[in-house]
Amino acid sequence: MRCAIVNLGGLATGDLAAPLREAEAILMEAGRISRIGTLDAATLESCDVVVDAGGTLAAPGLIDSHVHITFGDYTPRQRTVGFLESYLHGGVTTAITASEVHVPGRPKDPAGVKALALAAAACFRDYRPGGMRVHAGSVILEPGLTPEDLRELAAAGIWLAKAGFGAFPTPHDYAPLMQAARAAGMITTMHTGGSSIPGSSGIWAEHVLASHPHVSFHVNGGPVAMPEPGFVRLVKESDIALQICTAGNLRTALLTAKLLEEAGQLERLLIATDTPTGSGIMPLGMLYTMSHLASLGGMAPEIAIAAATGNNARVYRLNSGILAEGRDADVILLDACAGGACGDALSALRNGDIPAVGAVFSAGVPRFVGRSRNTPATIRDVRVAACRLPMDFSAAAH
């Protein structure tokens, strides 16, 4: 499929090093971005679909790196069907599992936790709710697992390992398995903060430093944050990516961003939601946290966008998250508000408002243009300008 977006009002790249770029149009082919800049009439004529952005802002599809996947588009925690597709309407084109810990009666023996990770990954290999990419299958580290088990899982395609819910005597006991998972080539993640489910324990800075995961999950609390001196330790004593989540503590989310900015290490800041949980389902959660950073934390809104996109992509080794030639064609169009008379999307974030998501492109395919079920989409003339495909762009297409 060849798809073009024209009449852009701005472009946020998701790249922390160059977060804004001048461009009038984006060309997407075979699921990748092939050109950014200007497009001539012949190129537009050759497209299957041309979408008029109506002066809105193009940004990378948001990457929520902390979603509690189970099986299918269903969460037993909130007894809700279709939550992932709802997140797509909030601009999230990629969801990364925080482990399948919410599966009812989840196994805890070595064979069971291995089987759970393999089954979850397999179920989402070809299943894309509403077009969203879902990276499922994170092995939950439990006593009895061995380095050989982790190597076996890695060979079978499991690339995520999670510490925090295992039945270890103390959180320090995760360290050997975390190091073995890293050695096997996995991205390692660790619960940070107070206990969130029965049987688990609080995990503080000293435990995270001992295990040295790639990502300190919801460092601002899930929902209870660690003692404040721990934030300084994680920033100064490690290179661990620090993930702040909508379902956590807002004050320490702002503190984390401030400490990383002062250290000149904002590439370590990741935005996610940590949902569905007791905090609920948050289709607009990523946008809320971005607006909090920009309006309350004084962060440039294009940097907040990068923390929700390119930073996650770099840590999780994804080809999405940055608008550049050769990257995955996951793109969203953002407007200041549904009426189109409130300024631009970057100003909306700076003011603490939630931009309207006018269109979502996943792997270069338009998933909705105009009004959506869950988000008041822009009315500033975002439309399909030319379409020769029998597809309904008013709803998410599979």
Side-chain angles (χ1 to χ4, degrees):
M1 181 178 186
R2 201 175 203 213
C3 178
I5 307 171
V6 298
N7 196 19
L8 292 173
L11 190 144
T13 66
D15 183 353
L16 202 64
L20 295 174
R21 176 175 175 177
E22 293 291 331
E24 296 177 0
I26 301 173
L27 180 65
M28 300 171 283
E29 301 178 86
R32 300 288 178 92
I33 296 172
S34 59
R35 196 183 313 168
I36 296 177
T38 58
L39 301 177
D40 58 30
T43 298
L44 294 176
E45 179 62 28
S46 69
C47 290
D48 301 297
V49 176
V50 177
V51 174
D52 186 341
T56 56
L57 176 78
L62 307 180
I63 300 171
D64 190 342
S65 56
H66 199 118
V67 183
H68 283 288
I69 306 299
T70 54
F71 290 99
D73 197 354
Y74 169 70
T75 167
R77 190 68 181 266
Q78 294 292 335
R79 298 184 181 181
T80 300
V81 175
F83 80 97
L84 289 170
E85 189 169 334
S86 292
Y87 281 41
L88 187 85
H89 289 282
V92 178
T93 57
T94 300
I96 303 175
T97 183
S99 81
E100 288 67 32
V101 69
H102 289 177
V103 170
R106 68 176 176 91
K108 299 183 180 181
D109 60 291
V113 295
K114 290 165 61 180
L116 177 59
L118 288 166
C123 285
F124 281 97
R125 194 163 291 133
D126 299 312
Y127 172 48
R128 299 182 59 168
M132 176 188 287
R133 302 171 192 264
V134 178
H135 297 287
S138 176
V139 59
I140 301 171
L141 300 182
E142 291 278 5
L145 282 172
T146 66
E148 178 56 34
D149 288 325
L150 297 174
R151 288 191 291 270
E152 176 187 324
L153 284 171
I158 301 301
W159 55 279
L160 294 165
K162 166 73 176 291
F165 298 130
F168 289 95
T170 77
H172 282 297
D173 295 319
Y174 285 109
L177 277 181
M178 290 285 274
Q179 292 158 11
R182 182 186 280 261
M186 294 180 175
I187 298 294
T188 55
T189 63
M190 192 169 197
H191 175 97
T192 307
S195 172
S196 62
I197 64 171
S200 64
S201 60
I203 295 179
W204 317 124
E206 58 268 26
H207 305 130
V208 177
L209 290 169
S211 286
H212 195 247
H214 289 91
V215 184
S216 171
F217 265 172
H218 48 59
V219 69
N220 62 318
V224 177
M226 63 183 169
E228 191 157 319
F231 292 88
V232 176
R233 291 198 63 189
L234 290 185
V235 170
K236 291 188 174 182
E237 299 177 31
S238 80
D239 60 356
I240 298 166
L242 304 182
Q243 181 195 77
I244 60 173
C245 290
T246 314
N249 179 314
L250 175 57
R251 187 184 69 82
T252 54
L254 299 175
L255 172 64
T256 301
K258 178 175 180 290
L259 290 172
L260 287 173
E261 185 170 18
E262 290 174 348
Q265 298 177 21
L266 278 175
E267 72 278 1
R268 293 170 58 190
L269 181 68
L270 310 183
I271 294 176
T273 63
D274 184 16
T275 58
T277 56
S279 299
I281 294 169
M282 300 181 183
L284 303 182
M286 297 287 285
L287 292 169
Y288 269 112
T289 299
M290 291 156 60
S291 73
H292 291 155
L293 289 175
S295 62
L296 301 178
M299 179 178 288
E302 61 270 22
I303 300 300
I305 290 173
T309 57
N311 285 7
N312 276 311
R314 177 185 54 81
V315 171
Y316 285 92
R317 308 170 188 162
L318 304 180
N319 194 48
S320 58
I322 291 178
L323 297 188
E325 289 82 353
R327 304 292 290 232
D328 291 341
D330 291 353
V331 185
I332 58 176
L333 298 181
L334 297 174
D335 200 3
C337 66
C342 310
D344 62 273
L346 296 179
S347 295
L349 288 170
R350 193 179 291 110
N351 291 335
D353 296 322
I354 305 301
V357 180
V360 172
F361 302 80
S362 182
V365 178
R367 297 296 169 177
F368 65 89
V369 177
R371 293 191 178 275
S372 74
R373 298 182 309 167
N374 301 287
T375 304
T378 178
I379 306 174
R380 196 192 292 178
D381 200 25
V382 175
R383 65 187 186 276
V384 176
C387 176
R388 290 185 290 276
L389 288 180
M391 186 178 294
D392 176 11
F393 295 107
S394 64
H398 292 279

